Amino acid sequence: MLFRSRMMNVLFSLSIVLFSYPLQAAGFFSQMAAAPPAGVSPLHHQLLQLAPNATPTALRLAAQALSCADPSAERLAVIDYSLPSTEPRMWVFDLHQHQLLFEELVSHGQGSGDAVANAFSNVPDSHQSSIGLFRTMNSYYGRNGYSLRLDGLEPDVNDLAFERAIVIHGADYVSHDFITQTGRLGRSHGCPAVREDITYPLIDSLKEDQYVFAYYPDEEWLATSAFLRCESSTPMHLAEMK
């Protein structure tokens, strides 16, 4: 009886090992699959996983800029002005919770183009959008309703955003109905306007010391932006960048 009992225990233990081994192996290979490929930063890989429809280059540069400015940032919005306004081109990420919070339409300025933006500036009254890295400030109620102030972090590129009142706000001209009627979104005075239905939750997800990265393949900016040239392993203080 004692021998039979020991054999039963051995067989039971062996069955547990055999059953758990595939699960452990699956977990191991799942972790391997989730690891960034060679040459891809962990943040870039995270953004690619969460927003597979976004332009990879825009996500790569957004990851590079954020890693330079604030590697521990919690939230990031990426705007890709290389895409037409008829397509979703704004993604809001919760980096700590590994979630894509929003994938949205967003407008550009009247001076930047029609359905496709191709001109950007930092000049007051240009009605053009600005590119580069922004830090979010406080929310407030203004002439465009609930809005979010932006602090442009790149000299001569977007650092007059606050002075120009470049803010995130909702607008009735940002909608699929408007696209159906006109073939494009309406345009702002340079602000990244969003759908009215999501104004409150989107702004609340980004307000107060989060980040917005607006991308366009502008050769001069790509070649000179300090946020795109520092090493992620040695992030620079924002005060040094302004």
Side-chain angles (χ1 to χ4, degrees):
M1 291 293 294
L2 180 60
F3 175 77
R4 180 179 298 178
S5 176
R6 289 178 176 175
M7 286 298 296
M8 291 295 292
N9 288 336
V10 170
L11 291 174
F12 180 72
S13 300
L14 181 60
S15 65
I16 292 177
V17 170
L18 292 175
F19 177 77
S20 62
Y21 177 77
L23 297 179
Q24 292 173 354
F28 172 78
F29 288 113
S30 177
Q31 290 178 358
M32 290 296 290
V40 177
S41 73
L43 178 55
H44 181 202
H45 186 60
Q46 181 182 15
L47 299 183
L48 287 170
Q49 286 184 317
L50 293 175
N53 296 325
T55 307
T57 300
L59 296 184
R60 176 177 60 81
L61 294 175
Q64 190 171 340
L66 189 62
S67 296
C68 182
D70 187 355
S72 62
E74 179 182 2
R75 302 278 173 83
L76 170 68
V78 178
I79 299 172
D80 183 0
Y81 283 128
S82 71
L83 298 175
S85 66
T86 53
E87 298 181 20
R89 54 179 182 171
M90 180 180 191
W91 297 266
V92 179
F93 302 91
D94 186 323
L95 303 174
H96 289 189
Q97 298 298 320
H98 193 70
Q99 292 180 340
L100 176 64
L101 302 179
F102 298 94
E103 183 175 7
E104 285 292 329
L105 299 168
V106 62
S107 72
H108 56 254
Q110 296 170 352
S112 287
D114 195 30
V116 178
N118 53 30
F120 303 88
S121 81
N122 195 36
V123 178
D125 300 321
S126 65
H127 292 182
Q128 291 184 343
S129 297
S130 294
I131 55 177
L133 186 66
F134 303 79
R135 182 169 49 192
T136 66
M137 302 172 72
N138 61 298
S139 59
Y140 70 100
Y141 290 91
R143 64 181 182 180
N144 291 307
Y146 196 49
S147 304
L148 177 62
R149 290 188 172 96
L150 299 175
D151 179 21
L153 301 176
E154 305 207 38
D156 301 322
V157 175
N158 63 19
D159 62 339
L160 295 182
F162 182 82
E163 177 184 328
R164 296 177 61 205
I166 301 300
V167 302
I168 296 177
H169 64 80
D172 59 5
Y173 53 75
V174 181
S175 70
H176 293 286
D177 288 342
F178 198 98
I179 293 173
T180 300
Q181 295 170 11
T182 66
R184 59 166 172 80
L185 288 186
R187 296 165 299 166
S188 66
H189 286 181
C191 296
V194 298
R195 291 189 302 118
E196 291 181 314
D197 290 349
I198 53 90
T199 301
Y200 279 84
L202 186 144
I203 287 177
D204 286 344
S205 74
L206 281 173
K207 65 183 180 181
E208 299 171 357
D209 296 324
Q210 308 302 331
Y211 292 89
V212 176
F213 181 80
Y215 166 75
Y216 184 80
D218 180 88
E219 292 184 4
E220 182 178 358
W221 168 65
L222 292 174
T224 60
S225 172
F227 288 105
L228 301 180
R229 290 184 294 115
C230 82
E231 296 295 332
S232 59
S233 59
T234 55
M236 299 179 67
H237 296 293
L238 289 175
E240 299 175 7
M241 313 294 281
K242 298 190 70 175

